[in-house]
Amino acid sequence: MTVVCLDLDRTTIYSAAALDLREPDHEAPRLLCVEIYKGAPLSFLTEAAAATLRDLQDVATVVPTTTRTPAQLARVHLPGPPPRFAIASNGGHLLVDGGDGVLRADPEWDLAVRIRLATCAPLAEVQAHLRARGGPFMLALREASELFAYAVVDRAALPDGWVDDLAAWCDQRGWTVSLQGRKVYAVPAGLTKSAAAAEVVARCGGGPLLAAGDSLLDADLLDAADAAIRPAHGELAQTGFTRPHLAVTAATGAAAGEELLGRLYEWATDPAMSVSGSL
């Protein structure tokens, strides 16, 4: 069966600020809330997108694929049956259904990741460098799953060249850097969504891989897919990211979520199209 790796935030699900609804209020689509945070609704998709997602789950192995930690992912309740697999922490955790509908981190994958990352500089060294290079523009510094770090920054106050200097320092130590919205991510080069996606495909017995994502941290996943799609918004859109096997939505915001799920369903029901990369 086809495997579909779906990035979540600003690809499949949207915060209220990211919905980008263009219709007058009385014509706006009905929304389904899929995440509650601190007692308040946080993430949504349209009811039309939810229906298409359920259709997609009938014909493919749908894998939520995210930079969120497992705890952050656990807040998201997508429509349809619980997934068999999920990818969290940018590929650092492969979550597997043990047969009871509960996703748990696969210990073999966790060990493989730790071995792969042993060649990179330790997280503590990168965190210490970020603290030393910080300033009033750095609003918070956090780590995720003891695997990578990110800084929440005031982009307007970010010093010229700061991100480039950080990227050069990290590159020498086997890490990558990306600026996405208000966050600067420092991630080990060996920590990728594509590696975890390949493991899921192998566990499913092979078959085509489809993918969707909007951010720089999704680029390797989209590259690895047989066919992929990104929304017309987000960091990849800002950089003009394109590939021969990559489609781009016409819509932005939550409407792009509807559109890309529909395209993925079309591909999943026509495996020859997805394998050939013919979009």
Side-chain angles (χ1 to χ4, degrees):
M1 183 177 284
T2 300
V3 173
V4 180
C5 285
L6 277 180
D7 175 53
L8 294 180
D9 297 283
R10 299 197 69 193
T11 297
T12 307
I13 64 176
Y14 293 80
S15 68
L19 284 169
D20 190 24
L21 299 177
R22 303 298 180 92
E23 306 89 342
D25 288 349
H26 67 282
E27 296 178 1
R30 282 165 46 115
L31 301 174
L32 175 66
C33 178
V34 294
E35 180 182 16
I36 301 293
Y37 181 58
K38 294 184 178 180
L42 180 61
S43 298
F44 308 84
L45 73 170
T46 67
E47 288 192 344
T52 304
L53 176 58
R54 287 192 289 269
D55 290 339
L56 182 60
Q57 291 162 339
D58 289 338
V59 297
T61 298
V62 176
V63 184
T65 303
T66 181
T67 304
R68 288 175 177 240
T69 65
Q72 293 167 335
L73 174 59
R75 299 196 305 255
V76 178
H77 300 283
L78 295 174
R84 292 173 54 203
F85 302 96
I87 295 168
S89 305
N90 207 60
H93 293 298
L94 176 59
L95 309 179
V96 180
D97 178 2
D100 56 1
V102 178
L103 290 174
R104 297 180 178 86
D106 183 84
E108 293 183 6
W109 182 254
D110 284 355
L111 177 59
V113 168
R114 297 292 179 179
I115 292 172
R116 191 184 315 127
L117 299 190
T119 60
C120 304
L123 172 62
E125 180 181 343
V126 176
Q127 288 178 301
H129 183 75
L130 281 166
R131 290 191 194 95
R133 294 292 315 283
F137 62 89
M138 188 180 293
L139 307 179
L141 177 60
R142 298 171 181 150
E143 59 85 20
S145 300
E146 300 181 351
L147 291 169
F148 62 91
Y150 63 94
V152 181
V153 299
D154 178 354
R155 286 196 64 156
L158 198 62
D160 290 341
W162 186 87
V163 174
D164 291 338
D165 290 345
L166 175 64
W169 184 90
C170 284
D171 181 64
Q172 296 175 359
R173 291 158 179 81
W175 286 62
T176 64
V177 170
S178 62
L179 173 61
Q180 301 183 41
R182 297 174 59 244
K183 295 178 180 177
V184 178
Y185 287 90
V187 179
L191 191 66
T192 63
K193 293 179 179 179
S194 60
E199 179 69 13
V200 173
V201 170
R203 295 190 186 199
C204 291
L209 171 65
L210 308 180
D214 74 296
S215 78
L216 296 172
L217 290 172
D218 295 314
D220 69 286
L221 175 65
L222 302 184
D223 274 334
D226 294 292
I229 187 168
R230 67 165 174 82
H233 61 250
E235 290 79 23
L236 291 179
Q238 292 170 7
T239 62
F241 182 85
T242 184
R243 295 291 187 271
H245 67 288
L246 176 72
V248 180
T249 65
T252 59
E258 287 184 16
E259 184 180 343
L260 67 85
L261 285 168
R263 185 72 68 91
L264 290 166
Y265 177 77
E266 292 175 4
W267 292 340
T269 52
D270 183 359
M273 178 183 291
S274 60
V275 170
S276 68
S278 173
L279 304 183

